[in-house]
Amino acid sequence: MDPELEAFVPFFPRTDLTDPAAARAGLAALAAAVPAPDTADLDVEDRTVPADPDVPVRIYRPRHADGGAIVWLHGGGFVMGDLDTEHPWAARIAAASDAVVISVGYRLAPEHPFPAAFDDAWAVLTWAAGHAERLGLDPERIAVGGHSAGGGIAAALALRARDRGGPAIRFQLLNQPGLDDRQETWSQRRFTDTPWFDRGKAATAWRHYLGGRPAGPYAAPARAVDLAGLPPAYVATAELDPNRDEDIDYALRLLRAGVPVELHHWPGTFHGSQAILSAAVSQRQNAELAAALRRALAHPY
């Protein structure tokens, strides 16, 4: 493990997704301890997207935005997270990439199992594409992305958009995404006590999200048989992460299906360790995530 990250491991709270309320409170406290982002060059606006039910979003618009945007889904094992806990990350991505970031406050499991979060994210994607001109966006330069569970939802949005013939998605930004409920990879079987996220926590997250129903590709994108025709992707993995191998496998399958992919594996890191902003490797990870988005949304394509 990277020594700068390892120094923080004893201070990481132990969270148990079997108690969603306690897990949410713990994440909120952790997010509140993260240094506040600099939003001086951002216009930040809370909106509500009409849907059934309506979906809260927070829009981050850089002063130098030129129409590129990303529909951004937070992490939290499908159980934790909201617009406030994601605020530091969404703001930093917007500031570093000059992309408009539409952060989605999707419904959480287990109270709202699949497809609630997926439907919320889809409603926001179709709203952003359908109201692009009014929002000052280029409808041909809208990406989807997210961390962890949010990365899995983003990948699922790309699948549905392909299957339905739109909306057009320019790019997928998938950071340590949760893609496969089966947990059959080497990393899922072996990483039972890794910091912050391990096999048991992943199993509980999927159990809450699926609500006892079988998973299809829109719930667990790794189950998709055909990945051809999907948007270009940036996939980032952490070495000590149960999700690692399913993410690498998905990136390779995208490549074999003819999809342009940048796969960046970060040695010495663990799931969510990018939150330790003082570590040099975290600074490189966060900078590269924003740079990948900036490159992908550059105009013209």
Side-chain angles (χ1 to χ4, degrees):
M1 186 181 296
D2 181 282
E4 287 188 287
L5 300 178
E6 190 171 15
F8 281 84
V9 171
F11 303 102
F12 262 63
R14 286 285 183 181
T15 57
D16 183 354
L17 293 183
T18 58
D19 185 345
R24 290 166 190 159
L27 179 62
L30 194 63
V34 173
D38 182 1
T39 59
D41 291 326
L42 301 174
D43 292 325
V44 183
E45 176 189 12
D46 285 347
R47 296 276 296 265
T48 301
V49 172
D52 185 19
D54 294 347
V55 185
V57 297
R58 185 168 295 167
I59 302 175
Y60 300 79
R61 188 181 304 276
R63 300 282 167 83
H64 301 294
D66 68 350
I70 185 168
V71 174
W72 184 254
L73 290 311
H74 65 77
F78 307 109
V79 172
M80 307 179 289
D82 54 29
L83 296 179
D84 292 332
T85 61
E86 194 63 12
H87 175 68
W89 301 108
R92 288 189 178 93
I93 290 169
S97 68
D98 277 341
V100 174
V101 173
I102 304 174
S103 183
V104 182
Y106 58 82
R107 287 171 288 171
L108 301 176
E111 297 90 339
H112 304 285
F114 178 84
F118 177 62
D119 287 346
D120 290 351
W122 180 257
V124 174
L125 173 63
T126 55
W127 171 80
H131 296 78
E133 183 175 354
R134 193 178 309 171
L135 293 168
L137 309 179
D138 181 346
E140 299 300 319
R141 292 192 293 137
I142 297 176
V144 295
H147 297 301
S148 191
I153 296 170
L157 291 179
L159 286 167
R160 180 186 266 186
R162 178 201 63 181
D163 296 344
R164 293 195 176 186
I169 294 176
R170 178 73 165 262
F171 185 65
Q172 307 175 70
L173 189 66
L174 310 179
N175 188 49
Q176 304 166 10
L179 300 170
D180 197 342
D181 64 298
R182 293 166 291 191
Q183 296 188 274
E184 295 172 350
T185 65
W186 188 94
S187 61
Q188 281 285 359
R189 288 184 285 106
R190 292 293 294 271
F191 291 153
T192 58
D193 61 353
T194 40
W196 186 244
F197 194 64
D198 57 28
R199 175 180 173 81
K201 198 169 181 181
T204 303
W206 281 111
R207 187 166 60 250
H208 285 323
Y209 188 52
L210 297 175
R213 286 171 286 191
Y218 294 160
R223 288 182 174 269
V225 175
D226 180 11
L227 301 184
L230 290 172
Y234 174 93
V235 181
T237 63
E239 182 177 5
L240 304 172
D241 180 3
N243 290 354
R244 183 194 70 192
D245 293 352
E246 68 200 60
D247 295 348
I248 293 172
D249 290 347
Y250 196 74
L252 292 174
R253 290 183 59 212
L254 286 168
L255 282 168
R256 292 173 187 139
V259 177
V261 177
E262 182 173 352
L263 171 62
H264 200 137
H265 175 67
W266 294 92
T269 65
F270 55 85
H271 191 93
S273 63
Q274 285 169 274
I276 302 173
L277 298 175
S278 60
V281 66
S282 298
Q283 293 167 20
R284 295 196 304 272
Q285 285 176 281
N286 293 328
E288 180 55 32
L289 201 68
L293 181 60
R294 179 190 290 271
R295 292 192 300 268
L297 295 180
H299 187 73
Y301 188 52

